[in-house]
Amino acid sequence: MVIEYNIEYINRIIKDISALAGISINLLDANYNILASCRNTQKYCDTLHSIERERIQCNQCDKKILKKCCQSKKLEHHICRSGLYDSAMPLIKNDTIVGFLIMGQIRSSRSPALPKELPRVDANTLEKLSVLYNDIPIISKNRLNALYDLLPHILFDNAIQIVHDSFICEVSDYIDENLQNNLSINHLCSKFFVSKNRLYEAFQSNLNSTVTEYINKRRIHRAKLLLKQTDESVFKIAESVGIYNYTYFCKLFKKLCNITPTQYRMMK
């Protein structure tokens, strides 16, 4: 698997969104390397970062929220020790983390009136920091949510692509076209004339998944579409995606979706 980034496009989008939203944005690749960075420069942060121990604390804070984001695979946010709102979002495509967005250096409705922790500095610098902090505009929750919804779509559609080798593309296409049929490891190896080790390696390196995990996810994905788009019974839908044990289907669905098939169907 190769992840391709359109760096020129990414930098342009990040710069434009940062200017419009009044928020600092960093885009990192899947290995935490910075691909694009645009700071909505705040004199408050610049003043803090001129103090070495505060700069170190800030970097540690970024690493902490990134680690949490990577583990949960969902949006994470917190108020940093200096009172500013920071968030980290994984960019996930085909169940694979392809990058991370770090956004911050703003105040939200959750930010304190004054930061809980300020550095030990002289009285003039302390007063300056307090004034600069209050000069930072507060961004509403709705505005932030719109930004979280918008950015991944813009980047996925135009700037981040996952390129798989031709073999895994052929196998995954076959799986999608035959979800209702036998998709055992032995069958796939026989169909594509490969060893089990070759099949396992291809799925792990390209899709970051075992063969069985991938097939189960595709079956449940198809089941979700059928639950919303048809009136077929859950039992019939389970069979149509190749799972003939109804109890197992319901257990697998809840494991992957955190709700039962019936609850999912009832959702608006």
Side-chain angles (χ1 to χ4, degrees), residues 22-261:
I23 187 170
S24 295
I25 305 174
N26 288 332
L27 176 65
L28 286 64
D29 67 16
N31 296 313
Y32 307 112
N33 301 306
I34 294 179
L35 297 175
S37 178
C38 191
R39 292 186 61 210
N40 182 45
T41 304
Q42 301 290 354
K43 293 181 180 179
Y44 174 74
C45 288
D46 290 342
T47 303
L48 279 175
H49 291 171
S50 67
I51 305 168
E52 183 178 3
R53 62 179 177 274
E54 293 300 317
R55 186 171 63 253
I56 293 172
Q57 288 280 2
C58 182
N59 289 335
Q60 290 175 342
C61 199
D62 284 347
K63 290 178 180 178
K64 182 178 179 180
I65 194 172
L66 259 179
K67 181 179 179 181
K68 189 176 180 181
C69 171
C70 184
Q71 291 173 340
S72 69
K73 293 188 177 181
K74 64 181 183 180
L75 174 71
E76 298 288 349
H77 48 77
H78 65 195
I79 304 296
C80 76
R81 65 193 301 272
S82 301
L84 299 185
Y85 180 90
D86 288 323
S87 59
M89 173 190 289
L91 298 174
I92 301 176
K93 193 168 188 178
N94 298 339
D95 296 320
T96 300
I97 293 180
V98 297
F100 299 90
L101 282 169
I102 299 181
M103 296 168 280
Q105 295 189 351
I106 58 168
R107 287 198 299 159
S108 75
S109 56
R110 296 177 53 212
S111 297
L114 285 174
K116 295 179 181 179
E117 297 183 54
L118 283 173
R120 296 176 181 177
V121 290
D122 59 83
N124 287 337
T125 303
L126 195 61
E127 182 180 357
K128 178 183 177 181
L129 284 169
S130 297
V131 171
L132 291 174
Y133 177 80
N134 283 293
D135 284 343
I136 301 172
I138 295 176
I139 296 183
S140 70
K141 182 179 178 180
N142 288 342
R143 193 173 172 188
L144 284 170
N145 286 338
L147 183 63
Y148 299 145
D149 289 340
L150 181 65
L151 259 176
H153 292 296
I154 294 175
L155 294 171
F156 283 155
D157 290 344
N158 302 281
I160 303 176
Q161 299 292 331
I162 297 179
V163 180
H164 299 302
D165 67 40
S166 58
F167 170 68
I168 203 66
C169 289
E170 189 177 355
V171 178
S172 60
D173 285 346
Y174 177 82
I175 287 171
D176 277 347
E177 293 167 4
N178 293 274
L179 288 175
Q180 73 280 13
N181 298 325
N182 172 30
L183 291 173
S184 68
I185 302 297
N186 287 337
H187 171 76
L188 292 173
C189 289
S190 176
K191 172 70 180 178
F192 292 97
F193 306 102
V194 295
S195 67
K196 290 182 180 180
N197 286 342
R198 169 73 174 102
L199 190 67
Y200 294 152
E201 181 184 351
F203 271 79
Q204 196 62 52
S205 60
N206 283 272
L207 302 174
N208 194 30
S209 172
T210 68
V211 183
T212 301
E213 286 172 346
Y214 180 80
I215 293 171
N216 283 339
K217 287 177 183 177
R218 298 309 297 166
R219 282 176 163 156
I220 296 303
H221 175 74
R222 177 73 59 79
K224 288 166 66 177
L225 294 177
L226 294 172
L227 284 166
K228 289 293 188 181
Q229 297 173 3
T230 75
D231 294 324
E232 289 282 357
S233 69
V234 176
F235 181 83
K236 287 290 186 182
I237 288 174
E239 289 189 338
S240 71
V241 299
I243 303 177
Y244 295 92
N245 184 320
Y246 177 75
T247 302
Y248 174 71
F249 171 78
C250 292
K251 183 185 291 187
L252 179 63
F253 192 100
K254 187 167 185 179
K255 178 183 177 181
L256 296 180
C257 304
N258 296 318
I259 57 175
T260 67

Side-chain angles (χ1 to χ4, degrees), residues 11-27:
N11 274 285
R12 187 168 72 250
I13 289 297
I14 294 299
K15 182 178 179 181
D16 289 346
I17 295 293
S18 176
L20 287 170
I23 187 170
S24 295
I25 305 174
N26 288 332
L27 176 65

